[in-house]
Amino acid sequence: MELHVVINGRKDLAEQLYQQLREAIGSGRLAAGAQLPPSRLLAEQLGVSRKTVSDTYATLTYEGLLVGKTGRGTFVNARAPLSERLHTSTDLACTARLAKWQSLPSPMRHPTRDSTLRYEFIGGATSRNQFPQDEWRRCTQDALRRIAQNSGFYSQPEGLPALRSAIAGHIAFSRGVNCRDSDIIVTNGAQQALDLIARVVLEPGSMVAMEDPGYSPARQLFVAMGANVASVPVDAEGIQVDRIPDGTRLIYVTPSHQFPLGMPMSMPRREALLARAFELGAIIIEDDYDSEFRYEGRPTDSLQSMDTHGVVTYVGTFSKTLLPELRLGYAVLPPAIYGAVLKAKQLTDQHSSTLPQWALAKFISEGYLLKHIRRCHTVYAGRRERILQRLAGDLSPWFEAVPTVAGFHMAALCKVPVNIPLLMELARRVEVGVYPLEVFFHDAPVRPGLIIGFGAIETLDIDPALDKVRDILQQIG
């Protein structure tokens, strides 16, 4: 590594080197685990004797700031937090604001690679084994060639024309969305789309109505922007439209696959929601996060396809159909807010990375996406069916499934009192990840249960994992 050390004159060489290395470690410029140059090399670069460098390394090692590893070299040791000279949060004028952000929970944060369990029923995740590596590699190589031919300027904030055209065609075919290329803005996942829309629609104190239970990251985003979030109960037909309060400016819904319970919004309820939004002058965010996977009945078109007043923004993502790490989503926007959202996107990050945009445009246009969805549909349908069989079988004394016809998670409600935190803790000990339903309830009465994702767990792992869950339930009564 290149180490920035300046030697002034020929006096106190060891002291100069010692002080500069110590300051670099204390300030964080030399991070924990960083390797220092060999003593001979650093001595040559600085024009000092090797003994000067070796003695300095030895002193810092004695003080615990460096550590020598036989056959590998000298490294910065793990150390306490940065210098006391840095401000603590209590020194800052924004302390109260920081505390509000830090207090936001993270109920849907995925585990790291190192903390992933053997059997994962986490929602919103997909199986890496289903990802079409070869097709994606070819599309990425084509994207690299295209980027190499470009001028080197920034791209368009709304997204590449090729990708917007591909998205428009895909969602018109698969979800009945009524849009043109020019209605679409490409975003870094659906969460950025929600952020941009909320940014331009809301002001501090604005009223947002959303389903309860509902998608917690959306609620936290609206709260962080200073909005007042009204919790609107849901029933078997979806959000109870007559409970949406006057003064609402933004309405967030998941009509095709209610999150987290899973039921679709009925047609009468959709019509009532559109009428209520028009009456209020409110914008509806339709989060259509995973409804491309449908297992029963006739496919339901998007809410956006019914909109005749320009009040629905349709938000989609490729994190569920491809990989969460891809972080590509999009928003189909009505004319009234398109220009404002586009400006917010430009100010936020200029544009989304063009490499995955080019790759995804080719992936869709070559038919790989539809082929991948059909293949995953078969796999997910089998997993869903097996989990439903177990919930109706040996797990039925404790849980019952909420009827759902789309997506790749389901809710299982408790039929008898179950200590869900204890179940989760004991399941983790045997490498099974199960997750609570209660974190998605805010003001509505909590219905205890589990949210069971079947996108990440392999089909052959479902029975062994649920056997472990059943055994734990029997043990804890």
Side-chain angles (χ1 to χ4, degrees):
M1 65 171 291
E2 183 175 341
L3 180 63
H4 183 70
V5 175
V6 178
I7 298 296
N8 295 314
R10 307 307 299 171
K11 293 182 179 181
D12 300 323
L13 300 181
E15 179 65 16
Q16 290 187 55
L17 181 59
Y18 168 81
Q19 291 295 344
Q20 292 190 52
L21 289 178
R22 197 175 195 285
E23 191 279 331
I25 294 170
S27 66
R29 287 192 292 113
L30 279 177
Q35 184 175 10
L36 273 68
S39 57
R40 184 187 301 277
L41 176 61
L42 184 57
E44 292 176 356
Q45 292 175 342
L46 298 178
V48 300
S49 71
R50 184 182 181 187
K51 184 178 184 303
T52 298
V53 177
S54 298
D55 289 349
T56 302
Y57 280 7
T59 302
L60 292 169
T61 300
Y62 176 78
E63 293 178 353
L65 297 177
L66 297 180
V67 59
K69 299 182 180 181
T70 304
R72 296 181 57 195
T74 303
F75 297 81
V76 178
N77 202 359
R79 62 184 189 283
L82 295 183
S83 169
E84 302 81 10
R85 292 182 292 108
L86 298 180
H87 281 294
T88 63
S89 61
T90 55
D91 298 322
L92 302 176
C94 57
T95 298
R97 184 66 175 163
L98 295 175
K100 289 182 179 179
W101 276 94
Q102 292 167 358
S103 67
L104 293 175
S106 302
M108 296 190 68
R109 183 167 181 171
H110 282 197
T112 63
R113 183 182 298 273
D114 294 336
S115 62
T116 300
L117 302 176
R118 171 70 177 84
Y119 307 103
E120 274 290 358
F121 287 106
I122 194 166
T126 58
S127 172
R128 189 170 297 276
N129 292 341
Q130 301 302 319
F131 186 71
Q133 296 282 0
D134 292 339
E135 292 92 337
W136 185 255
R137 187 178 297 109
R138 287 195 291 270
C139 293
T140 301
Q141 289 169 346
D142 179 76
L144 287 169
R145 287 192 292 269
R146 290 180 178 274
I147 288 176
Q149 298 168 0
N150 282 351
S151 60
F153 298 141
Y154 285 109
S155 187
Q156 305 95 320
E158 61 267 35
L160 295 176
L163 179 55
R164 295 162 71 210
S165 176
I167 290 173
H170 172 70
I171 59 180
F173 173 78
S174 63
R175 301 294 301 123
V177 175
N178 180 20
C179 71
R180 301 163 297 178
D181 306 3
S182 56
D183 299 324
I184 295 173
I185 291 179
V186 176
T187 60
N188 297 318
Q191 192 71 12
Q192 189 190 39
L194 302 183
D195 179 272
L196 296 174
I197 295 164
R199 230 175 248 269
V200 303
V201 172
L202 301 178
E203 296 171 323
S206 295
M207 180 71 72
V208 177
M210 68 175 292
E211 302 156 323
D212 190 2
Y215 184 57
S216 300
R219 173 183 291 275
Q220 292 157 16
L221 174 66
F222 302 144
V223 169
M225 290 187 174
N228 296 320
V229 180
S231 299
V232 183
V234 299
D235 57 25
E237 295 188 69
I239 191 170
Q240 296 180 19
V241 175
D242 58 344
R243 304 282 293 274
I244 297 175
D246 292 340
T248 295
R249 185 177 291 193
L250 186 66
I251 305 170
Y252 174 86
V253 289
T254 52
S256 296
H257 185 218
Q258 200 278 332
F259 188 90
L261 298 180
M263 63 282 190
M265 189 183 296
S266 69
M267 191 59 65
R269 198 64 63 83
R270 290 172 182 239
E271 293 170 350
L273 176 60
L274 290 169
R276 179 62 170 154
F278 180 64
E279 174 190 5
L280 294 169
I283 289 292
I284 297 173
I285 296 180
E286 177 184 11
D287 190 346
D288 201 27
Y289 60 99
D290 68 356
S291 58
E292 288 171 308
F293 301 107
R294 188 175 182 86
Y295 311 106
E296 298 176 13
R298 176 185 174 276
T300 304
D301 282 346
S302 63
L303 180 69
Q304 189 268 359
S305 67
M306 302 171 57
D307 179 22
T308 58
H309 300 296
V311 297
V312 177
T313 63
Y314 178 90
V315 172
T317 179
F318 294 99
S319 297
K320 307 297 186 292
T321 50
L322 292 173
L323 282 179
E325 296 109 317
L326 185 60
R327 303 310 301 143
L328 276 180
Y330 57 91
V332 180
L333 301 160
I337 69 170
Y338 183 92
V341 174
L342 180 61
K343 184 58 67 69
K345 169 67 176 174
Q346 185 175 14
L347 292 175
T348 299
D349 65 358
Q350 191 69 38
H351 61 78
S352 299
S353 173
T354 57
L355 177 61
Q357 285 194 63
W358 279 118
L360 182 57
K362 185 174 179 62
F363 191 83
I364 297 173
S365 61
E366 294 290 327
Y368 296 138
L369 179 61
L370 285 177
K371 179 181 177 182
H372 172 65
I373 290 173
R374 286 194 293 267
R375 182 169 57 244
C376 287
H377 183 280
T378 302
V379 173
Y380 293 156
R383 295 176 184 174
R384 170 182 175 271
E385 182 60 29
R386 188 58 194 146
I387 294 172
L388 287 173
Q389 290 172 358
R390 294 296 300 269
L391 289 172
D394 57 345
L395 295 174
S396 62
W398 299 278
F399 295 106
E400 62 178 342
V402 177
T404 180
V405 297
F408 50 91
H409 81 261
M410 67 178 71
L413 300 177
C414 293
K415 297 168 66 174
V416 296
V418 175
N419 188 333
I420 297 295
L422 180 59
L423 172 62
M424 292 168 55
E425 179 185 346
L426 296 178
R428 289 190 67 84
R429 294 181 186 178
V430 291
E431 289 288 300
V432 180
V434 292
Y435 299 90
L437 195 60
E438 65 182 30
V439 296
F440 304 109
F441 288 80
H442 192 262
D443 294 322
V446 173
R447 303 177 69 184
L450 300 175
I451 181 169
I452 303 177
F454 48 89
I457 190 166
E458 297 299 328
T459 304
L460 294 178
D461 287 339
I462 290 175
D463 279 326
L466 292 182
D467 286 346
K468 294 176 185 290
V469 172
R470 178 203 58 210
D471 293 345
I472 293 170
L473 288 166
Q474 291 172 342
Q475 293 170 15
I476 66 177

